[in-house]
Amino acid sequence: MNEQSRILQLRKELHEHNHRYYVLNQPVISDQDFDFLMHELQELEARHPEMADPNSPSVRVGSDLNQNFQQVTHKYPMLSLANTYNADDVREWYEQVSRGLEGEPFEVCCEMKYDGLSISLTYEDGKLVQAVTRGDGVQGDDVTNNVRTIRSIPLQLSASLPYPHTFEIRGEILLPWDNFNRLNAEREEIGETPFANPRNAASGTLKSQNSRVVAERGLDAYLYYLLGDEVPADGHIENLDAARSWGFKISEGMKKVNSLQGILDYIDYWDKERKNLPVATDGIVLKVNSIRQQRHLGFTAKSPRWAIAYKFKAERACTPLIEVTYQVGRTGAITPVANMEAVQLAGTTVRRATLNNEDFIRSFDLHIGDYVFVEKGGEIIPKIVGVDVEKRKADAEAVKFITHCPECGAELVRYEGEAAHYCPNDSGCPPQIKGRIEHFIARKAMNIMSLGPETVDEFYQRGLIHNIADLYDLTVQQIDPSGNKAKSALNIVKAIEESHNVPFERVVFALGIRFVGVTTAKLLARHFKDIDTLMNASLQDLLDVEMVGNVIAESIISYFHNEDNLAILQRLRDKGLQMSLSEEQTAGRTNTLEGKSIVISGVFTHHSRDEYKALIEQHGGKNVGSISGKTSFILAGDNMGPSKLQKAEKLGVPLMSEEEFLSMIETASPSTTNSEEAAPQTDTKQNSPIQLDLFS
């Protein structure tokens, strides 16, 4: 056998041994024998660079080369699940599903909700070609090189297996408890701050610029969602069974049930048994198993109707309160923080917990030295839920809320109807200034991801930036006067320059107007179309926008009446940021459905429910979830529920067929409603899954 053939043989053998050891937990050779084969492969590959393969088992050891992660747009968005914390909510969801399916029998797949970092893996011809983090759900970081070091993720599937030509599989990257504890012990030994929990450790590891570090830390992965045009079955759990046979690590704890009691029994079992798992979990995910039924049930504005996450009840511990410190947010809000004696809770060390506001502190009558009961909300965020008053010392000092900003000394204010105290010095308080800049550069805002909080703080301390507009004056020479970090400085300047292309709706969000989130910013941008019209909008003009109430409207008016804000906005305008909707964004939009509230019901032929919702918004209409006297009409597909038909007849709400609706909007905008831009096409094959992934 020549050396090239030996390389191929070794790769095949090592892939199989990796799978047996890290996925099946059934090794058939010793670690020493494995290392011997690996060293032989590395030596042969070094002699034959023409045989280089990014999916060779030898890449598992990682590389010392630094890397800058590229952003990749997900082919299928990675969305979130609604959360629930009790059996009553699970029962309500189950009954809603039953009503949505109009009595048709259905099965539910119950599976563990692993507490890690979401990942999407793409395979072509059985080879791993790309690994992308969840990011903001629309786009994430390409971490392929780092993921290749995770031994439980197959780099190449056996050529003899019947897998699709192209598919995506999604799941969680995790750091097992044993590796987490080992890593933290090593960090404490060398004087580094230990990671707070396995999820943070996994996230920080996967984002490391050095893949050798990733390889050494021992990440693991569980996969739980298969996507593609040629998935094997209509059943979610059946698709994962197929993926397991292809070599993927799939949880053995999944179970398909056909009753509410089956779900509750599953939850009760794993609420106790999960403590014996080698990785962190924070709940149960429930999914209607049939992809066809998932498609029929569709989505609400934020989450699917066919899936829900049940979060386990939080664990509780008791520990002394040492002191209360105060943090200043980007809006000036003051958040008190309890600093406690370290305590183990849900597998992690807890030293700090938020106290929310002054009223929260008073409600517990907190004193320094009190023994406080701490829980982890959703097993993630620590919170104080009570005080053991019997242990309080007689001379304990009551916690008194501060009167002045701990950062700039300004006297705090508390606005009418607000629970929080605020520092009013928004133009001179460092945390507020830096917080607004961090908000501005965030992914959902201007997406200047070459910067981060530490860099913002450094630039602020050096006097390079004092507000968001200063970013656009930065030069490579200012950032790196010594020339030692020229590449990094160039990347920052380049990323800032590229932000000129960020669309107007995200610019509105990036401005950091109080109470204006991503969705509100999008609605404002689409309604007013440019910054000048938004700036000059009256209170009533703003209230005419969907989801904008008095609080938001008054905040917007206040923002645009601030001289400092107007000066910064003018500088941003002069620098060429997008201050209006582009022609592409406005093309195809009509007022055909303006003022109309529309309910969608039934099963459709030409488009999915979500595509019809997009079309309704595109033509000025409003999607509503239930029928009322204010409903303009029902877009009715096949198999519309009898209860909805009766309610429509009773209220006199007209029905409109799919064909009538498409004809109406095509008359208004024929060039757009027939295009892919109007509504993304969804594969309608019976066995194709919903082309979205879900995370709680």
Side-chain angles (χ1 to χ4, degrees):
M1 180 183 294
N2 61 33
E3 291 187 337
Q4 289 91 337
S5 298
R6 178 58 176 163
I7 288 174
L8 296 176
Q9 181 186 27
L10 284 169
R11 287 173 178 172
K12 182 178 180 180
E13 289 182 17
L14 287 167
H15 279 311
E16 177 65 23
H17 289 310
N18 265 316
H19 177 65
R20 286 183 172 277
Y21 187 93
Y22 292 100
V23 178
L24 301 179
N25 197 27
Q26 298 173 352
V28 293
I29 63 173
S30 67
D31 290 350
Q32 184 177 0
D33 289 340
F34 181 91
D35 291 340
F36 178 81
L37 294 174
M38 179 63 75
H39 290 150
E40 181 185 358
L41 174 62
Q42 290 173 319
E43 290 176 359
L44 290 173
E45 287 180 334
R47 291 204 293 268
H48 295 277
E50 76 280 3
M51 295 285 289
D53 184 345
N55 285 329
S56 169
S58 62
V59 304
R60 300 288 196 187
V61 299
S63 165
D64 290 327
L65 296 176
N66 284 342
Q67 52 192 314
N68 290 314
F69 299 119
Q70 299 295 316
Q71 249 94 78
V72 176
T73 300
H74 294 296
K75 183 178 181 181
Y76 311 123
M78 299 174 79
L79 302 183
S80 299
L81 288 176
N83 291 328
T84 182
Y85 297 90
N86 57 66
D88 288 340
D89 288 343
V90 172
R91 182 177 292 104
E92 182 180 347
W93 171 80
Y94 189 85
E95 291 172 351
Q96 287 175 347
V97 168
S98 183
R99 289 194 297 270
L101 294 174
E102 299 171 6
E104 179 184 352
F106 64 96
E107 296 174 311
V108 173
C109 175
C110 306
E111 54 194 78
M112 300 303 301
K113 184 177 179 297
Y114 293 104
D115 191 18
L117 181 73
S118 302
I119 197 74
S120 177
L121 310 174
T122 299
Y123 285 78
E124 293 180 1
D125 295 324
K127 295 182 179 181
L128 175 66
V129 295
Q130 192 169 64
V132 183
T133 63
R134 179 178 187 269
D136 61 4
V138 176
Q139 62 178 5
D141 291 328
D142 186 332
V143 291
T144 308
N145 288 337
N146 283 350
V147 164
R148 284 194 171 108
T149 70
I150 301 173
R151 297 176 184 271
S152 56
I153 292 178
L155 301 179
Q156 184 167 341
L157 309 182
S158 171
S160 63
L161 296 173
Y163 45 76
H165 165 65
T166 301
F167 65 89
E168 283 189 40
I169 189 165
R170 292 176 170 174
E172 297 285 308
I173 302 293
L174 307 134
L175 187 64
W177 286 116
D178 287 348
N179 291 349
F180 171 73
N181 294 330
R182 172 184 55 79
L183 176 61
N184 270 352
E186 292 172 355
R187 292 174 69 85
E188 289 178 339
E189 186 175 340
I190 60 176
E192 292 185 1
T193 303
F195 286 110
N197 53 57
R199 187 188 188 284
N200 285 359
S203 178
T205 299
L206 197 62
K207 294 296 185 69
S208 172
Q209 295 292 316
N210 186 331
S211 62
R212 190 178 298 278
V213 171
V214 184
E216 292 171 349
R217 288 186 177 175
L219 294 176
D220 201 352
Y222 283 84
L223 290 308
Y224 55 66
Y225 205 89
L226 187 66
L227 297 134
D229 295 336
E230 301 173 352
V231 295
D234 175 61
H236 167 66
I237 199 168
E238 288 76 13
N239 285 329
L240 291 180
D241 285 341
R244 182 185 288 109
S245 73
W246 303 338
F248 291 100
K249 191 169 187 175
I250 309 294
S251 170
E252 297 291 342
M254 290 191 308
K255 185 176 183 180
K256 189 166 60 174
V257 301
N258 56 14
S259 68
L260 175 61
Q261 189 58 50
I263 294 174
L264 299 179
D265 290 344
Y266 183 90
I267 290 173
D268 287 343
Y269 175 80
W270 281 108
D271 192 15
K272 304 177 185 67
E273 188 62 26
R274 66 191 175 95
K275 297 178 177 63
N276 297 320
L277 292 174
V279 293
T281 61
D282 59 356
I284 300 290
V285 175
L286 308 172
K287 297 174 185 173
V288 172
N289 193 59
S290 166
I291 306 301
R292 174 186 61 80
Q293 291 179 330
Q294 289 179 9
R295 186 177 292 112
H296 176 80
L297 290 166
F299 296 77
T300 66
K302 295 182 178 180
S303 58
R305 295 185 179 89
W306 47 268
I308 197 168
Y310 172 88
K311 293 295 192 74
F312 292 124
K313 293 179 181 178
E315 292 187 22
R316 175 180 290 197
C318 189
T319 188
L321 173 66
I322 299 172
E323 65 171 341
V324 175
T325 54
Y326 298 85
Q327 296 177 340
V328 184
R330 71 174 178 88
T331 64
I334 306 298
T335 302
V337 177
N339 294 268
M340 306 166 295
E341 190 173 299
V343 63
Q344 284 293 117
L345 191 61
T348 60
T349 301
V350 174
R351 293 181 176 87
R352 291 158 57 87
T354 179
L355 293 171
N356 298 327
N357 50 55
E358 183 181 21
D359 292 342
F360 184 90
I361 292 173
R362 287 182 175 178
S363 70
F364 289 108
D365 186 27
L366 279 180
H367 286 61
I368 300 299
D370 274 350
Y371 277 78
V372 294
F373 294 106
V374 188
E375 288 184 355
K376 295 187 74 175
E379 303 218 12
I380 299 297
I381 303 171
K383 59 181 180 181
I384 289 176
V385 296
V387 177
D388 189 345
V389 180
E390 294 182 359
K391 291 185 178 180
R392 179 179 294 163
K393 295 180 180 178
D395 60 348
E397 180 184 352
V399 176
K400 294 181 180 179
F401 203 88
I402 58 175
T403 59
H404 290 74
C405 176
E407 297 288 342
C408 69
E411 186 173 358
L412 302 182
V413 297
R414 184 173 181 178
Y415 302 110
E416 184 178 354
E418 296 251 5
H421 286 72
Y422 290 86
C423 169
N425 184 22
D426 56 353
S427 61
C429 185
Q432 294 188 63
I433 296 171
K434 291 184 286 186
R436 284 195 296 274
I437 296 173
E438 290 170 17
H439 172 80
F440 183 81
I441 65 176
R443 178 172 288 166
K444 291 185 178 180
M446 302 306 291
N447 194 33
I448 307 175
M449 300 308 291
S450 293
L451 290 172
E454 293 180 357
T455 310
V456 168
D457 181 64
E458 177 196 340
F459 288 0
Y460 178 81
Q461 299 298 335
R462 290 169 56 189
L464 298 180
I465 53 176
H466 298 90
N467 57 57
I468 56 178
D470 288 342
L471 292 168
Y472 294 90
D473 292 329
L474 289 173
T475 66
V476 172
Q477 178 61 31
Q478 286 177 312
I479 296 170
D480 180 35
S482 67
N484 294 327
K485 300 180 180 178
K487 184 177 180 180
S488 175
L490 186 62
N491 286 337
I492 291 172
V493 172
K494 182 181 178 182
I496 293 172
E497 181 63 28
E498 290 174 348
S499 73
H500 287 85
N501 300 320
V502 167
F504 175 53
E505 59 194 36
R506 282 169 52 192
V507 174
V508 174
F509 172 65
L511 294 176
I513 304 171
R514 197 171 173 211
F515 305 125
V516 175
V518 173
T519 301
T520 304
K522 184 181 295 185
L523 293 170
L524 290 168
R526 291 179 178 178
H527 184 90
F528 294 107
K529 296 181 174 57
D530 61 67
I531 195 67
D532 292 309
T533 308
L534 175 59
M535 285 172 57
N536 296 309
S538 66
L539 179 64
Q540 188 55 53
D541 291 336
L542 291 165
L543 292 175
D544 288 340
V545 180
E546 183 184 356
M547 294 177 63
V548 174
N550 279 298
V551 173
I552 297 176
E554 290 171 0
S555 176
I556 294 169
I557 290 173
S558 175
Y559 179 89
F560 287 118
H561 278 73
N562 182 295
E563 293 297 327
D564 291 335
N565 292 338
L566 293 178
I568 290 172
L569 193 59
Q570 185 58 51
R571 288 179 61 194
L572 295 176
R573 188 199 299 263
D574 293 342
K575 293 296 182 180
L577 270 66
Q578 302 294 319
M579 293 296 171
S580 63
L581 291 179
S582 66
E583 292 183 6
E584 181 180 346
Q585 289 176 298
T586 56
R589 295 192 175 276
T590 74
N591 297 322
T592 304
L593 303 176
E594 186 173 2
K596 297 187 183 298
S597 297
I598 303 164
V599 171
I600 300 175
S601 181
V603 180
F604 299 95
T605 302
H606 303 294
H607 297 288
S608 69
R609 285 173 177 249
D610 293 314
E611 290 168 353
Y612 277 121
K613 287 181 179 180
L615 285 170
I616 288 169
E617 291 180 357
Q618 180 180 326
H619 293 279
K622 180 180 180 181
N623 290 289
V624 292
S626 59
I627 302 170
S628 70
K630 296 181 180 180
T631 303
S632 303
F633 64 86
I634 299 172
L635 174 55
D638 296 333
N639 300 324
M640 182 177 167
S643 60
K644 286 188 176 179
L645 279 172
Q646 291 175 3
K647 191 169 185 178
E649 291 174 1
K650 181 179 179 180
L651 297 174
V653 177
L655 306 184
M656 183 178 293
S657 71
E658 190 174 10
E659 288 72 20
E660 290 171 330
F661 177 80
L662 290 173
S663 176
M664 177 176 64
I665 61 175
E666 284 170 2
T667 301
S669 180
S671 62
T672 302
T673 53
N674 287 325
S675 72
E676 291 184 355
E677 291 180 8
Q681 298 298 306
T682 302
D683 193 332
T684 56
K685 295 178 182 177
Q686 181 179 357
N687 289 337
S688 294
I690 297 293
Q691 304 299 323
L692 298 165
D693 200 14
L694 307 163
F695 299 86
S696 59

